[in-house]
Amino acid sequence: MPETGTGHLVELLHGVLGDSVLGVYAHGSATLGGLRPHSDVDVLAVVREPTTHGQRRALVEELLKVSGRGRRPVEMTVVVQDRVRPWRYPPTCDFLYGEWLREDFERGAVPDPGPNPDLAPVLTMVLLADAPLHGPRPAELLDPVPAADLRRAIAEGVPELMAELETDTRNVLLTLARVWSTLETGGIRSKDAAAAWAIERLPAAHRPVLVRARAVYLGDEDEQWDDLDVRPCAQHLARMIEESRG
């Protein structure tokens, strides 16, 4: 898959949101060991003012042109500074674009602002990565996320992940491994590193499933699941997460 830079995403944000943009930050795979064949380009923008419906529509229309369909997928998150600083739980997401929502967006859907616990790990990764694409260092605009809120947020997302197992198998398995790893160790690993950590701790019967997910993510194998019993592995990971949550 061709690599996609981030300069055009910063320009897109400025073009739609203007001087409201306070900072734009890379996070995710690009800052946790490098982009893999199936990695998204993850970008967070911190803005001064809430976006309008028209601005969110314009962001969606432009992102549909530059994300996916032979290009590197983009996951773009926009937060209003005074809605995440001072920190409170759950945090409010002003705009979110991801390729898993493409069909909705192509039908004309426009994301609305609202509470989003997933912002807890996103903001944590942004602060840890400390990778400005525009603006000051992220710590100048964002508060740290308390460890208890990070743990709560990632564990609360497990039921939704399990519901997507059949349609997004690789990503669900790798995310479950990452959640388990973070709850156990307190650190945030890349998906492949989290999978490697989890594989060593899985019962032998479940290891081939996560080994496959990691290999597909790294581009070493094709995506195929018919020959493996995926759900028991995912259910085991979910149980480990529940136990680690305490």
Side-chain angles (χ1 to χ4, degrees):
M1 178 176 291
E3 295 296 313
T4 299
T6 54
H8 69 299
L9 300 176
V10 175
E11 292 177 5
L12 189 162
L13 284 159
H14 277 293
V16 175
L17 304 181
D19 293 339
S20 182
V21 178
L22 299 174
V24 184
Y25 304 97
H27 64 95
S29 300
T31 62
L32 289 171
L35 292 172
R36 307 305 191 193
H38 292 283
S39 298
D40 294 348
V41 173
D42 296 298
V43 174
L44 173 87
V46 182
V47 298
R48 181 181 292 107
E49 301 168 352
T51 57
T52 66
H53 182 85
Q55 287 172 327
R56 295 193 299 278
R57 179 181 294 279
L59 287 174
V60 167
E61 289 174 351
E62 292 304 313
L63 287 165
L64 285 171
K65 300 174 186 175
V66 300
S67 173
R69 301 290 170 87
R71 300 180 177 86
R72 176 75 66 176
V74 174
E75 182 173 330
M76 179 180 286
T77 307
V78 178
V79 296
V80 182
Q81 186 188 27
D82 66 12
R83 295 187 180 178
V84 294
R85 187 179 201 181
W87 169 261
R88 61 275 217 185
Y89 189 93
T92 297
C93 180
D94 203 66
F95 172 85
L96 175 64
Y97 178 95
E99 280 299 303
W100 69 94
L101 299 169
R102 172 176 279 273
E103 289 186 5
D104 293 336
F105 292 149
E106 288 180 334
R107 288 195 293 265
V110 176
D112 291 321
N116 188 340
D118 284 346
L119 272 179
V122 168
L123 297 182
T124 299
M125 286 190 287
V126 166
L127 288 163
L128 287 172
D130 197 14
L133 303 173
H134 165 78
R137 297 177 65 180
E140 295 184 33
L141 300 180
L142 301 169
D143 284 343
V145 176
D149 284 345
L150 174 62
R151 293 173 64 86
R152 176 183 176 186
I154 61 177
E156 284 182 354
V158 169
E160 183 177 345
L161 279 171
M162 292 297 289
E164 298 172 354
L165 181 62
E166 292 186 5
T167 57
D168 195 13
T169 303
R170 165 179 41 84
N171 188 55
V172 168
L173 290 167
L174 295 175
T175 302
L176 289 170
R178 177 188 264 179
V179 170
W180 182 25
S181 166
T182 297
L183 290 173
E184 281 289 315
T185 69
I188 298 181
R189 293 172 165 84
S190 65
K191 287 181 177 177
D192 53 299
W197 178 93
I199 288 165
E200 294 181 356
R201 292 158 176 82
L202 283 176
H206 297 320
R207 289 175 190 164
V209 175
L210 200 53
V211 167
R212 172 76 56 79
R214 184 175 185 272
V216 172
Y217 180 71
L218 294 173
D220 296 333
E221 292 188 26
D222 294 331
E223 190 115 28
Q224 178 182 329
W225 301 105
D226 293 346
D227 59 329
L228 293 172
D229 202 0
V230 171
R231 186 162 292 276
C233 176
Q235 291 171 333
H236 180 83
L237 288 167
R239 285 195 299 272
M240 294 299 97
I241 288 168
E242 188 62 28
E243 291 179 10
S244 300
R245 185 179 183 181

